[in-house]
Amino acid sequence: MHIRTRKLIGTVVLIAFLAVYCLIAMVGAASPVINGNRFTELMYFIAAGLLWVIPAGVLIRWMQRP
């Protein structure tokens, strides 16, 4: 597979993944368990804000392979 094709596929998958991930994170943030305590809410938003980096990094590493 050519690197340009791999980058195109990776870009489309990354945008779709981020859209779905954001929707899931928003639904999780609206749950009563998260909203019950300020510390829990803070930890949730820190985790949700950083958790997407792991799959995105794997996908970007795949896109850069020769």
Side-chain angles (χ1 to χ4, degrees):
M1 180 181 302
H2 296 287
I3 194 162
R4 295 182 90 189
T5 307
R6 189 175 301 188
K7 285 184 180 183
L8 175 66
I9 293 169
T11 302
V12 171
V13 169
L14 185 60
I15 290 171
F17 165 73
L18 285 176
V20 171
Y21 180 79
C22 288
L23 291 174
I24 292 171
M26 285 188 294
V27 168
S31 73
V33 174
I34 301 299
N35 291 329
N37 185 353
R38 287 283 185 201
F39 180 74
T40 307
E41 188 175 347
L42 176 67
M43 291 297 113
Y44 174 79
F45 282 116
I46 289 172
L50 294 174
L51 194 60
W52 67 272
V53 174
I54 297 168
V58 171
L59 184 62
I60 290 171
R61 189 173 303 141
W62 174 79
M63 289 167 50
Q64 295 298 320
R65 281 192 314 179

